[in-house]
Amino acid sequence: MEKEPRPMKRKHKIYLRMTILLLIIYIGLLIILCISEYNDSTATIHSFRDAFWYSLVTLTTVGYGDLTPVTPMGQAVGAVFLLLSAGIMMTLFGAVMSFVTSEGLPLFLLGFQRKKNWYYFADYGVESSTLAGNIYREDPDTVIIFGEKRDERTEFPDYPCIFVNASPARIVARKKGVGTKCKIFFMKENDIDVNIRAVDLHTLPVDVYARTTSGQDQLSGNIRFFHSYDCCARQYWRSRPLCSYENTIVIIGFGNYGRCILERAILTNIISVDQHVAYHVFGDPKEFLAIHNQLNKTFSLGRESETTDSLIFHSELWETHHKLMERADRIIICDDDEPEGWNIFWRLNNYYKTRRHIHLRSNRKTPGVSYFGANEEIYTPDQIMRTTLNRAAIMINELFRKSVSYPTLRWEELDDLHRESKISAADHLLMKIRILLKDETITEVTPEITEKAYKEYCETKKSDNIQDMYRRLDHARWLRFYTFYNWSYGSARDDGEREHPMLAPYQELTPAQKRERDAAWELLGSIAPEMRQL
């Protein structure tokens, strides 16, 4: 928990002392009133209870008139109460208004909703509001909390929420450990590094999700990072998977979005052992190729190949490649600058002959334009918290552990690289389903479709040739992943040297090594029942 600052403690002590002093003065006045009236035969105030009732009626300006002081001293005390009554009423009114307009009322209301799921956002913005809205649509019985005061100029969200200027520690303290753990979101890029409210989050019983541009996925046990660019790329290839007829893909714009779209294509777009897809990328590749220096082992770099996938980077303007734009099976416009992306889109439509398979990254929804990357598609609970994806990845890891004879690690023990390896395998599930069912219209993994694909797998793997093809496909995907992370072949596995004995051509693998590739396909039979329980 966050420690209360010293100035706040001093302030509380001052308020306590003032309260005690006022209480002593009030009791003293009641005693004086009671004593001065007690011996007068005409008095109506004869006891401390009568004095207290009179003070209460007077201070609240009710004025029943049933009790009145008659002695000079009693009337003097009564005059004091009369003078205080207006001030007390104004003070009470101000306290009530302060309670209603400050964080007092929201925090008070939160106390009645402890059993619900709490989602706390460090600030209110477009991204925060979009994710909060998607969370509420999936789980209406939830509490959305924005950790700031409401800006009167901001349009109020169309879902129930609470604005309260309070730190995560204060919110967690209010929940008192009831129900599920509170989930905390930092939606500004790298906000967790500069936001004072991020201090000591790792000590709180919460799950933290922080948007970042760095390569980290996890800081500590309860802090996880997510990349909006990577979420966009995953959403793009999930909604528009590679098709068998596509051999030429053009990517215009190689900033954060373009890089992530290409990375996901490298790791996910494996649909045939004979495919030869050429990715033509317009942008500066120096940093990308310097980092991923083993890609030449799984891709043809710089020229198109008829036997393997190719990566061709162009330093010149895309505008000079009329023939390439004409034969491209799809053109992806993903410039980081959205207005520039629209300029590219209009120039392509106005001056170039294309096959009209142009996909534009845009938040602007325009009829007739195939756009992707809108906030409501990226900032979803499943994308940010990766619940379904991680569940499938965990199952892949467990299946793998059961399929091999040597010791392997549980999900909780895996490092980021090996977790990402399993997540990459989960990403490829959609491709596996499309391959098994020979249906390229499928863009969603449902329990029914997954079950149907698994039955097809069980039936077709009886053929040695087809089972061998399935293994080749997953080995190709596996090779791409490890060469992307700069691993190479070694006679024995060495994580420090990034060497692995399975980083060899498929035909050089042992029968046992080939059988290891079955786990990713067998997952289809386990994931369908899990999905039905969600």
Side-chain angles (χ1 to χ4, degrees), residues 136-352:
Y136 177 75
R137 278 184 280 277
E138 290 189 13
D139 180 16
D141 190 30
T142 191
V143 179
I144 305 294
I145 306 164
F146 293 107
E148 62 179 29
K149 291 184 179 179
R150 181 190 170 188
D151 187 344
E152 294 299 332
R153 295 169 297 176
T154 302
E155 183 179 348
F156 202 75
D158 58 357
Y159 48 83
C161 62
I162 293 175
F163 285 83
V164 53
N165 188 17
S167 66
R170 194 172 180 188
I171 296 298
V172 171
R174 196 66 184 164
K175 204 169 196 304
K176 295 183 178 179
V178 178
T180 58
K181 288 194 294 185
C182 184
K183 291 178 174 57
I184 311 291
F185 298 90
F186 289 84
M187 300 298 290
K188 293 181 180 178
E189 286 185 353
N190 302 319
D191 193 24
I192 200 168
D193 294 330
V194 297
N195 196 317
I196 192 170
R197 294 188 172 183
V199 175
D200 294 333
L201 282 174
H202 64 281
T203 66
L204 298 176
V206 296
D207 291 323
V208 182
Y209 300 88
R211 184 181 174 193
T212 184
T213 55
S214 71
Q216 280 185 304
D217 285 325
Q218 192 157 346
L219 179 64
S220 69
N222 69 330
I223 300 178
R224 298 168 181 84
F225 292 101
F226 67 90
H227 312 251
S228 55
Y229 311 115
D230 191 50
C231 289
C232 176
R234 273 196 163 97
Q235 182 270 333
Y236 173 76
W237 288 114
R238 192 177 299 133
S239 60
R240 296 169 176 82
L242 181 72
C243 295
S244 56
Y245 66 83
E246 294 182 296
N247 293 315
T248 305
I249 309 290
V250 171
I251 299 175
I252 301 177
F254 199 57
N256 290 314
Y257 287 104
R259 175 178 50 79
C260 286
I261 284 174
L262 179 62
E263 288 176 357
R264 286 297 143 194
I266 289 171
L267 299 176
T268 308
N269 290 349
I270 301 96
I271 59 175
S272 168
V273 293
D274 301 318
Q275 72 182 52
H276 49 90
V277 181
Y279 296 92
H280 290 264
V281 183
F282 289 88
D284 186 356
K286 291 179 183 177
E287 182 182 355
F288 181 83
L289 292 176
I291 293 173
H292 306 287
N293 63 355
Q294 298 292 317
L295 283 176
N296 62 320
K297 296 181 178 178
T298 48
F299 284 86
S300 170
L301 298 182
R303 62 181 182 83
E304 291 193 18
S305 169
E306 292 297 320
T307 58
T308 187
D309 286 1
S310 313
L311 294 177
I312 300 101
F313 291 91
H314 301 271
S315 58
E316 63 273 20
L317 296 174
W318 66 267
E319 287 90 342
T320 62
H321 290 265
H322 285 257
K323 291 295 183 183
L324 176 60
M325 301 302 156
E326 182 178 339
R327 66 183 176 90
D329 296 299
R330 79 165 77 180
I331 300 173
I332 307 169
I333 304 172
C334 48
D335 199 283
D336 284 355
D337 182 7
E338 188 173 324
E340 177 58 25
W342 275 97
N343 288 334
I344 295 169
F345 176 80
W346 293 125
R347 292 203 296 275
L348 269 172
N349 273 281
N350 290 335
Y351 305 112
Y352 289 78

Side-chain angles (χ1 to χ4, degrees), residues 22-242:
L22 290 173
L23 186 61
I24 291 172
I25 293 173
Y26 173 65
I27 293 173
L29 289 171
L30 291 179
I31 292 172
I32 293 171
L33 177 63
C34 186
I35 293 173
S36 63
E37 297 287 304
Y38 184 75
N39 293 320
D40 194 301
S41 59
T42 61
T44 55
I45 300 174
H46 299 290
S47 64
F48 186 84
R49 185 176 69 85
D50 292 339
F52 173 71
W53 174 250
Y54 167 76
S55 69
L56 191 63
V57 170
T58 304
L59 289 172
T60 56
T61 68
V62 175
Y64 289 125
D66 56 337
L67 300 174
T68 55
V70 295
T71 65
M73 182 61 72
Q75 289 173 345
V77 173
V80 172
F81 285 148
L82 283 171
L83 293 173
L84 288 175
S85 61
I88 287 175
M89 290 304 296
M90 291 299 295
T91 301
L92 287 173
F93 180 76
V96 171
M97 290 302 297
S98 176
F99 179 77
V100 171
T101 58
S102 69
E103 67 267 18
L105 181 60
L107 288 172
F108 177 76
L109 294 175
L110 281 174
F112 295 97
Q113 306 181 74
R114 293 191 177 101
K115 291 184 179 180
K116 295 183 178 181
N117 297 326
W118 287 14
Y119 297 87
Y120 171 95
F121 294 83
D123 59 75
Y124 179 80
V126 175
E127 295 85 359
S128 300
S129 181
T130 302
L131 177 57
N134 283 329
I135 288 172
Y136 177 75
R137 278 184 280 277
E138 290 189 13
D139 180 16
D141 190 30
T142 191
V143 179
I144 305 294
I145 306 164
F146 293 107
E148 62 179 29
K149 291 184 179 179
R150 181 190 170 188
D151 187 344
E152 294 299 332
R153 295 169 297 176
T154 302
E155 183 179 348
F156 202 75
D158 58 357
Y159 48 83
C161 62
I162 293 175
F163 285 83
V164 53
N165 188 17
S167 66
R170 194 172 180 188
I171 296 298
V172 171
R174 196 66 184 164
K175 204 169 196 304
K176 295 183 178 179
V178 178
T180 58
K181 288 194 294 185
C182 184
K183 291 178 174 57
I184 311 291
F185 298 90
F186 289 84
M187 300 298 290
K188 293 181 180 178
E189 286 185 353
N190 302 319
D191 193 24
I192 200 168
D193 294 330
V194 297
N195 196 317
I196 192 170
R197 294 188 172 183
V199 175
D200 294 333
L201 282 174
H202 64 281
T203 66
L204 298 176
V206 296
D207 291 323
V208 182
Y209 300 88
R211 184 181 174 193
T212 184
T213 55
S214 71
Q216 280 185 304
D217 285 325
Q218 192 157 346
L219 179 64
S220 69
N222 69 330
I223 300 178
R224 298 168 181 84
F225 292 101
F226 67 90
H227 312 251
S228 55
Y229 311 115
D230 191 50
C231 289
C232 176
R234 273 196 163 97
Q235 182 270 333
Y236 173 76
W237 288 114
R238 192 177 299 133
S239 60
R240 296 169 176 82
L242 181 72

